[in-house]
Amino acid sequence: MNSDYSSDEMMTIAASRALTNKDVCFVGIGAPSAACNIARLTHAPDITLIYESGTIGTAPNILPLSIGDGELCETAISTVPVPEMFRYWLQGGRITIGFLGAAQLDKFGNINTTIIGDYKNPKTRLPGGGGAPEIASSAKQIYITMKQSLRGMVEEIDFFTSFGHGDGSDHRKSLNINTDGPSLLITDLAIWKPDPISKEFTVYSIHEGVTKQMVQDNCGWQIKFFENLEVTKSPTELELKTLRDLKERTQRANSRKEDN
Amino acid sequence: MAEFLSLNEAVSENLKEGDTVCFEGFTHLIPHASAHEVIRQKIGNLTIIRMTPDVIYDQLIGMGLVKKMIFSYAGNPGVGLLRRFRDSVEKGWPNKIEIEEHSHSAMAHAYEAGAAGLPCAVFRGYLGAELREVNPNIKTVICPFTGEELTAIPSLKPDVAFIHAQKADKKGNILIEGILGVQKEAVLASKRSIVTVEEIVENLNSHPNATVLPDWTVSSICHVPGGAHPSYARGYYKRDNASYIEWDKIASDRDGFKNWMKENVLDVGVEVFQNRIKNLIENDNE
């Protein structure tokens, strides 16, 4: 076992392992973007990565800071206008996985990235939904990745930016949402899947070296665990090296170039 | 027919107090120089539209020129929150702006509907999303053929659109390459438009399916090299990611923000932009 890695690295690598060569993935910025590119650079070189800036089949050599960095366009198979991206490719049902992050998440995979507090008089105004509200309903499945915290994983989110499973069970179907919704949650401590009936996110695998108690201590709702709880294997040398090299290249590219 | 003007003239001729205006560019080709010119001319009481109202809208809001903002993602992409926008919405400084919030898909559809001359955009959106409850401009229509309930929002029809592009030819035809965003739609949806360009060339030499705005769709063209900085212009210079990261700190307090705006916007002219891209020129490997 390799114990010389951070929980952040474990999260990104565990998320990357969930992706396959067959996936057409609509990539959110931040942790999802890192995971998708590690998958592409390790076991899933043929994965199709799509960013909402219109870049289809992109293969960036560094992680983009924004969803529209030049690197994405230069390495893409094609770049389409933004209305076409949302209209044909997302709404048209071409995306197999929407990969999102969250500021606040509840047990049914509903996401808030809009406000903390009241909408009209917010305590904290967050950026808002961007592409997420329609990604959440149009992509066949939704994967979510975020660091666990009591502030982030809550019993009740302050705002339904993106609909997950609502109140659970068949709530999506009752709203005429015909896609699967959130089917995987990867945190820095565990991997979660929805209960087949209730749709509540349930811990499926705990990362090597993490205890059940640690997962519960960093989650705001009372957690359920699947019966045959698995252990997530720690990162391999190749996975770690790929991630660290990518981060290092990215940091170098984003640092200020001084006059000579 | 497009007129070639200085940016100063183009702004004062086309943009009026109280107008509805969009500055578009999806990370790429963001018309920073134009926004700074509007700030220097202190044209206020504006309704500003932009999918991702990043640094330039943080600046317009912080300078007190905004009455209302229509948007879908108010963040500094990849960096964090917009501090001046937050100060306005959370604390009312320098004024509390009115907001009309959408999703990206909705905004893109609404620009497209504006360009198409339609009163509204129809799409499958906001399913289960709470923006429906707080934005009265999100409504539903029933498909007359299938009975499916769809989402409708008003089309976007700004008074003025600002965009930045790579090239204009001598006649005024505009070429945009790379990440295209919603700029073509924004120009065609707007009554008037101002395009800043990196370069004015004899001939665009573009391929048959290139994104070209014919000269008669544009009001004014201004030659502003570097005019998208710290955003970028494919083929000319790279995104200045360090500047975006630095903006988070600059905008974090009111005085720091005001000082920066005085030094870098109010007390300078449009010509500063070409100097800002010197270290970012493409194919310049260190």
Side-chain angles (χ1 to χ4, degrees):
Chain A
M1 164 181 159
N2 183 346
S3 61
D4 186 21
Y5 59 88
S6 71
S7 61
D8 252 13
E9 289 174 326
M10 182 70 246
M11 173 169 77
T12 303
I13 287 164
S16 78
R17 289 173 184 162
L19 298 163
T20 72
N21 273 326
K22 285 185 187 156
D23 286 322
V24 178
C25 190
F26 208 101
V27 186
I29 213 66
S33 178
C36 290
N37 281 292
I38 293 304
R40 182 179 60 78
L41 292 167
T42 55
H43 65 279
D46 292 331
I47 189 171
T48 297
L49 302 184
I50 295 183
Y51 289 71
E52 65 193 9
S53 53
T55 52
I56 297 178
T58 185
N61 185 46
I62 55 167
L63 286 176
L65 183 69
S66 80
I67 33 71
D69 279 23
E71 180 76 8
L72 295 172
C73 176
E74 298 314 317
T75 60
I77 289 168
S78 178
T79 297
V80 301
V82 166
E84 179 182 321
M85 174 49 60
F86 283 100
R87 203 170 172 77
Y88 301 172
W89 301 92
L90 179 62
Q91 186 174 263
R94 298 275 169 182
I95 310 295
T96 63
I97 293 170
F99 213 133
L100 301 174
Q104 263 191 346
L105 180 80
D106 71 14
K107 67 173 86 160
F108 293 116
N110 303 299
I111 292 174
N112 171 24
T113 55
T114 304
I115 42 113
I116 303 298
D118 174 61
Y119 185 79
K120 290 235 159 64
N121 293 297
K123 196 166 135 251
T124 307
R125 175 65 228 204
L126 304 170
E134 281 76 24
I135 296 172
S137 60
S138 293
K140 290 198 176 73
Q141 298 185 57
I142 297 299
Y143 291 178
I144 301 165
T145 183
M146 68 185 289
K147 272 181 87 139
Q148 281 193 225
S149 72
L150 293 175
R151 276 193 345 171
M153 296 174 77
V154 295
E155 190 67 48
E156 266 186 68
I157 55 175
D158 288 20
F159 194 85
F160 270 60
T161 307
S162 308
F163 194 81
H165 293 289
D167 299 332
S169 64
D170 62 352
H171 198 172
R172 279 177 81 85
K173 280 225 163 60
S174 75
L175 296 176
N176 267 325
I177 308 175
N178 297 313
T179 49
D180 293 350
S183 58
L184 192 66
L185 165 64
I186 305 104
T187 68
D188 50 338
L189 303 176
I191 301 173
W192 315 51
K193 292 185 179 179
D195 176 89
I197 307 296
S198 74
K199 305 288 191 219
E200 175 178 334
F201 265 131
T202 306
V203 177
Y204 167 85
S205 178
I206 291 186
H207 301 338
E208 210 166 317
V210 174
T211 64
K212 280 176 151 185
Q213 194 56 47
M214 284 160 75
V215 184
Q216 180 63 74
D217 287 347
N218 291 284
C219 180
W221 68 79
Q222 189 61 44
I223 295 177
K224 295 191 174 114
F225 295 86
F226 277 109
E227 254 175 50
N228 302 313
L229 195 59
E230 297 192 8
V231 175
T232 318
K233 288 203 175 64
S234 58
T236 65
E237 291 296 337
L238 175 69
E239 286 169 329
L240 264 186
K241 181 169 173 10
T242 308
L243 176 59
R244 286 175 183 171
D245 287 352
L246 179 65
K247 292 245 158 135
E248 203 269 327
R249 284 199 300 277
T250 302
Q251 198 173 3
R252 200 155 12 103
N254 286 345
S255 62
R256 156 99 39 225
K257 243 202 246 176
E258 299 299 344
D259 291 84
N260 289 319
Chain B
M1 224 49 85
E3 271 187 296
F4 287 90
L5 296 174
S6 71
L7 185 56
N8 178 293
E9 292 168 315
V11 168
S12 64
E13 250 183 47
N14 288 290
L15 187 69
K16 308 281 171 256
E17 185 94 9
D19 271 351
T20 296
V21 55
C22 66
F23 298 72
E24 278 297 350
F26 204 86
T27 304
H28 182 214
L29 295 173
I30 299 170
H32 275 260
S34 293
H36 286 186
E37 184 57 35
V38 170
I39 290 168
R40 277 192 290 274
Q41 294 192 23
K42 299 187 170 63
I43 301 171
N45 203 24
L46 298 171
T47 294
I48 55 174
I49 308 174
R50 180 164 162 69
M51 291 182 65
T52 302
D54 50 12
V55 172
I56 50 175
Y57 280 28
D58 220 22
Q59 294 171 345
L60 286 161
I61 292 168
M63 296 304 280
L65 300 175
V66 177
K67 179 180 68 178
K68 177 181 176 180
M69 179 163 93
I70 303 174
F71 71 102
S72 42
Y73 184 87
N76 180 349
V79 179
L81 308 176
L82 289 179
R83 312 227 174 235
R84 295 296 97 225
F85 164 68
R86 281 188 62 190
D87 205 14
S88 169
V89 172
E90 294 169 16
K91 309 247 167 66
W93 190 91
N95 58 308
K96 181 151 179 156
I97 62 165
E98 187 188 333
I99 60 171
E100 178 176 337
E101 184 169 3
H102 285 284
S103 66
H104 276 348
S105 180
M107 294 282 286
H109 278 89
Y111 273 122
E112 200 184 40
L118 292 169
C120 71
V122 174
F123 64 113
R124 194 179 287 119
Y126 294 120
L127 297 174
E130 200 172 341
L131 274 181
R132 277 176 182 281
E133 319 294 324
V134 296
N135 180 347
N137 268 343
I138 301 170
K139 296 190 187 298
T140 56
V141 290
I142 304 295
C143 169
F145 306 105
T146 63
E148 183 180 354
E149 187 181 272
L150 296 165
T151 303
I153 57 165
S155 57
L156 288 169
K157 294 178 176 180
D159 295 311
V160 184
F162 285 93
I163 67 165
H164 185 77
Q166 277 98 346
K167 289 175 189 170
D169 67 16
K170 293 244 153 107
K171 194 156 179 270
N173 300 302
I174 304 290
L175 175 69
I176 311 171
E177 292 180 312
I179 289 174
L180 300 167
V182 291
Q183 285 97 301
K184 182 174 175 177
E185 291 76 10
V187 165
L188 296 180
S190 298
K191 293 193 189 86
R192 302 183 293 282
S193 56
I194 297 169
V195 185
T196 51
V197 294
E198 288 299 323
E199 204 178 352
I200 296 169
V201 295
E202 210 56 55
N203 190 320
L204 293 178
N205 282 325
S206 58
H207 67 83
N209 307 107
T211 303
V212 170
L213 286 163
D215 67 300
W216 45 271
T217 61
V218 171
S219 312
S220 304
I221 298 169
C222 317
H223 184 212
V224 185
H229 178 271
S231 169
Y232 69 105
R234 179 181 185 273
Y236 292 83
Y237 49 92
K238 293 177 196 154
R239 191 174 194 261
D240 188 356
N241 280 339
S243 280
Y244 279 92
I245 294 166
E246 284 160 14
W247 178 253
D248 196 49
K249 189 149 186 249
I250 294 161
S252 64
D253 79 282
R254 294 170 185 175
D255 287 339
F257 164 75
K258 284 197 286 193
N259 291 338
W260 191 92
M261 291 303 290
K262 182 169 179 343
E263 207 170 299
N264 295 281
V265 179
L266 297 177
D267 290 353
V268 299
V270 67
E271 66 286 349
V272 297
F273 278 88
Q274 55 197 335
N275 297 327
R276 291 179 181 163
I277 57 166
K278 273 196 310 203
N279 292 332
L280 299 159
I281 303 294
E282 275 203 9
N283 307 318
D284 166 28
N285 294 320
E286 312 296 353

PDB file of all heavy atoms in Angstrom, chain B residues 158-173:
ATOM      1  N   PRO B 158     -30.876  42.918 -26.643  1.00  0.00           N
ATOM      2  CA  PRO B 158     -30.195  44.084 -26.060  1.00  0.00           C
ATOM      3  C   PRO B 158     -30.226  45.293 -27.002  1.00  0.00           C
ATOM      4  O   PRO B 158     -30.372  45.136 -28.214  1.00  0.00           O
ATOM      5  CB  PRO B 158     -28.750  43.595 -25.903  1.00  0.00           C
ATOM      6  CG  PRO B 158     -28.809  42.106 -26.019  1.00  0.00           C
ATOM      7  CD  PRO B 158     -29.983  41.798 -26.882  1.00  0.00           C
ATOM      8  N   ASP B 159     -30.089  46.471 -26.415  1.00  0.00           N
ATOM      9  CA  ASP B 159     -29.896  47.664 -27.248  1.00  0.00           C
ATOM     10  C   ASP B 159     -28.538  47.591 -27.936  1.00  0.00           C
ATOM     11  O   ASP B 159     -28.412  47.922 -29.103  1.00  0.00           O
ATOM     12  CB  ASP B 159     -29.959  48.935 -26.379  1.00  0.00           C
ATOM     13  CG  ASP B 159     -31.329  49.132 -25.762  1.00  0.00           C
ATOM     14  OD1 ASP B 159     -32.322  49.047 -26.512  1.00  0.00           O
ATOM     15  OD2 ASP B 159     -31.415  49.341 -24.531  1.00  0.00           O
ATOM     16  N   VAL B 160     -27.539  47.195 -27.165  1.00  0.00           N
ATOM     17  CA  VAL B 160     -26.168  47.212 -27.686  1.00  0.00           C
ATOM     18  C   VAL B 160     -25.450  45.912 -27.310  1.00  0.00           C
ATOM     19  O   VAL B 160     -25.586  45.428 -26.187  1.00  0.00           O
ATOM     20  CB  VAL B 160     -25.360  48.396 -27.092  1.00  0.00           C
ATOM     21  CG1 VAL B 160     -23.964  48.461 -27.710  1.00  0.00           C
ATOM     22  CG2 VAL B 160     -26.094  49.710 -27.312  1.00  0.00           C
ATOM     23  N   ALA B 161     -24.700  45.360 -28.276  1.00  0.00           N
ATOM     24  CA  ALA B 161     -23.814  44.226 -27.985  1.00  0.00           C
ATOM     25  C   ALA B 161     -22.371  44.652 -28.209  1.00  0.00           C
ATOM     26  O   ALA B 161     -22.062  45.300 -29.215  1.00  0.00           O
ATOM     27  CB  ALA B 161     -24.147  43.045 -28.894  1.00  0.00           C
ATOM     28  N   PHE B 162     -21.510  44.301 -27.268  1.00  0.00           N
ATOM     29  CA  PHE B 162     -20.065  44.476 -27.436  1.00  0.00           C
ATOM     30  C   PHE B 162     -19.429  43.099 -27.578  1.00  0.00           C
ATOM     31  O   PHE B 162     -19.684  42.211 -26.747  1.00  0.00           O
ATOM     32  CB  PHE B 162     -19.447  45.136 -26.201  1.00  0.00           C
ATOM     33  CG  PHE B 162     -19.726  46.605 -26.069  1.00  0.00           C
ATOM     34  CD1 PHE B 162     -20.815  47.058 -25.321  1.00  0.00           C
ATOM     35  CD2 PHE B 162     -18.893  47.546 -26.664  1.00  0.00           C
ATOM     36  CE1 PHE B 162     -21.072  48.415 -25.178  1.00  0.00           C
ATOM     37  CE2 PHE B 162     -19.134  48.900 -26.518  1.00  0.00           C
ATOM     38  CZ  PHE B 162     -20.223  49.337 -25.778  1.00  0.00           C
ATOM     39  N   ILE B 163     -18.610  42.926 -28.611  1.00  0.00           N
ATOM     40  CA  ILE B 163     -17.811  41.700 -28.700  1.00  0.00           C
ATOM     41  C   ILE B 163     -16.391  42.060 -29.152  1.00  0.00           C
ATOM     42  O   ILE B 163     -16.150  43.174 -29.637  1.00  0.00           O
ATOM     43  CB  ILE B 163     -18.413  40.643 -29.663  1.00  0.00           C
ATOM     44  CG1 ILE B 163     -18.370  41.130 -31.118  1.00  0.00           C
ATOM     45  CG2 ILE B 163     -19.820  40.261 -29.257  1.00  0.00           C
ATOM     46  CD1 ILE B 163     -18.611  40.023 -32.142  1.00  0.00           C
ATOM     47  N   HIS B 164     -15.475  41.114 -28.973  1.00  0.00           N
ATOM     48  CA  HIS B 164     -14.115  41.277 -29.474  1.00  0.00           C
ATOM     49  C   HIS B 164     -13.863  40.140 -30.458  1.00  0.00           C
ATOM     50  O   HIS B 164     -14.322  39.024 -30.239  1.00  0.00           O
ATOM     51  CB  HIS B 164     -13.118  41.207 -28.313  1.00  0.00           C
ATOM     52  CG  HIS B 164     -11.693  41.491 -28.706  1.00  0.00           C
ATOM     53  ND1 HIS B 164     -11.238  42.770 -28.946  1.00  0.00           N
ATOM     54  CD2 HIS B 164     -10.645  40.676 -28.918  1.00  0.00           C
ATOM     55  CE1 HIS B 164      -9.948  42.717 -29.279  1.00  0.00           C
ATOM     56  NE2 HIS B 164      -9.569  41.445 -29.268  1.00  0.00           N
ATOM     57  N   ALA B 165     -13.170  40.420 -31.576  1.00  0.00           N
ATOM     58  CA  ALA B 165     -12.928  39.389 -32.585  1.00  0.00           C
ATOM     59  C   ALA B 165     -11.482  39.466 -33.052  1.00  0.00           C
ATOM     60  O   ALA B 165     -10.781  40.447 -32.788  1.00  0.00           O
ATOM     61  CB  ALA B 165     -13.877  39.580 -33.759  1.00  0.00           C
ATOM     62  N   GLN B 166     -11.060  38.427 -33.767  1.00  0.00           N
ATOM     63  CA  GLN B 166      -9.676  38.426 -34.258  1.00  0.00           C
ATOM     64  C   GLN B 166      -9.461  39.459 -35.353  1.00  0.00           C
ATOM     65  O   GLN B 166      -8.532  40.244 -35.297  1.00  0.00           O
ATOM     66  CB  GLN B 166      -9.301  37.030 -34.797  1.00  0.00           C
ATOM     67  CG  GLN B 166      -8.867  36.068 -33.716  1.00  0.00           C
ATOM     68  CD  GLN B 166      -9.974  35.146 -33.279  1.00  0.00           C
ATOM     69  OE1 GLN B 166     -11.149  35.358 -33.590  1.00  0.00           O
ATOM     70  NE2 GLN B 166      -9.619  34.107 -32.535  1.00  0.00           N
ATOM     71  N   LYS B 167     -10.343  39.437 -36.370  1.00  0.00           N
ATOM     72  CA  LYS B 167     -10.043  40.230 -37.563  1.00  0.00           C
ATOM     73  C   LYS B 167     -11.271  40.912 -38.136  1.00  0.00           C
ATOM     74  O   LYS B 167     -12.372  40.368 -38.089  1.00  0.00           O
ATOM     75  CB  LYS B 167      -9.512  39.313 -38.672  1.00  0.00           C
ATOM     76  CG  LYS B 167      -8.140  38.773 -38.443  1.00  0.00           C
ATOM     77  CD  LYS B 167      -7.776  37.783 -39.530  1.00  0.00           C
ATOM     78  CE  LYS B 167      -6.468  37.101 -39.144  1.00  0.00           C
ATOM     79  NZ  LYS B 167      -6.155  35.973 -40.001  1.00  0.00           N
ATOM     80  N   ALA B 168     -11.022  42.073 -38.732  1.00  0.00           N
ATOM     81  CA  ALA B 168     -11.988  42.675 -39.643  1.00  0.00           C
ATOM     82  C   ALA B 168     -11.261  42.878 -40.960  1.00  0.00           C
ATOM     83  O   ALA B 168     -10.048  43.131 -40.971  1.00  0.00           O
ATOM     84  CB  ALA B 168     -12.476  44.006 -39.100  1.00  0.00           C
ATOM     85  N   ASP B 169     -11.976  42.761 -42.076  1.00  0.00           N
ATOM     86  CA  ASP B 169     -11.340  43.184 -43.320  1.00  0.00           C
ATOM     87  C   ASP B 169     -11.633  44.676 -43.518  1.00  0.00           C
ATOM     88  O   ASP B 169     -12.359  45.295 -42.731  1.00  0.00           O
ATOM     89  CB  ASP B 169     -11.763  42.298 -44.502  1.00  0.00           C
ATOM     90  CG  ASP B 169     -13.235  42.441 -44.872  1.00  0.00           C
ATOM     91  OD1 ASP B 169     -13.877  43.427 -44.447  1.00  0.00           O
ATOM     92  OD2 ASP B 169     -13.750  41.547 -45.579  1.00  0.00           O
ATOM     93  N   LYS B 170     -11.077  45.236 -44.581  1.00  0.00           N
ATOM     94  CA  LYS B 170     -11.177  46.689 -44.772  1.00  0.00           C
ATOM     95  C   LYS B 170     -12.615  47.164 -44.939  1.00  0.00           C
ATOM     96  O   LYS B 170     -12.948  48.309 -44.660  1.00  0.00           O
ATOM     97  CB  LYS B 170     -10.341  47.092 -45.996  1.00  0.00           C
ATOM     98  CG  LYS B 170      -8.849  46.899 -45.768  1.00  0.00           C
ATOM     99  CD  LYS B 170      -8.100  48.221 -45.804  1.00  0.00           C
ATOM    100  CE  LYS B 170      -6.844  48.151 -44.975  1.00  0.00           C
ATOM    101  NZ  LYS B 170      -5.616  48.095 -45.753  1.00  0.00           N
ATOM    102  N   LYS B 171     -13.459  46.234 -45.407  1.00  0.00           N
ATOM    103  CA  LYS B 171     -14.859  46.592 -45.599  1.00  0.00           C
ATOM    104  C   LYS B 171     -15.631  46.567 -44.271  1.00  0.00           C
ATOM    105  O   LYS B 171     -16.632  47.258 -44.102  1.00  0.00           O
ATOM    106  CB  LYS B 171     -15.479  45.590 -46.581  1.00  0.00           C
ATOM    107  CG  LYS B 171     -16.812  46.008 -47.146  1.00  0.00           C
ATOM    108  CD  LYS B 171     -17.077  45.338 -48.484  1.00  0.00           C
ATOM    109  CE  LYS B 171     -18.447  45.762 -48.999  1.00  0.00           C
ATOM    110  NZ  LYS B 171     -19.523  44.888 -48.572  1.00  0.00           N
ATOM    111  N   GLY B 172     -15.128  45.732 -43.335  1.00  0.00           N
ATOM    112  CA  GLY B 172     -15.801  45.652 -42.041  1.00  0.00           C
ATOM    113  C   GLY B 172     -16.437  44.307 -41.746  1.00  0.00           C
ATOM    114  O   GLY B 172     -17.198  44.161 -40.788  1.00  0.00           O
ATOM    115  N   ASN B 173     -16.148  43.297 -42.568  1.00  0.00           N
ATOM    116  CA  ASN B 173     -16.599  41.941 -42.242  1.00  0.00           C
ATOM    117  C   ASN B 173     -15.731  41.400 -41.102  1.00  0.00           C
ATOM    118  O   ASN B 173     -14.523  41.617 -41.080  1.00  0.00           O
ATOM    119  CB  ASN B 173     -16.476  41.031 -43.469  1.00  0.00           C
ATOM    120  CG  ASN B 173     -17.300  41.537 -44.623  1.00  0.00           C
ATOM    121  OD1 ASN B 173     -18.511  41.702 -44.513  1.00  0.00           O
ATOM    122  ND2 ASN B 173     -16.637  41.830 -45.743  1.00  0.00           N
TER     123      ASN B 173
END
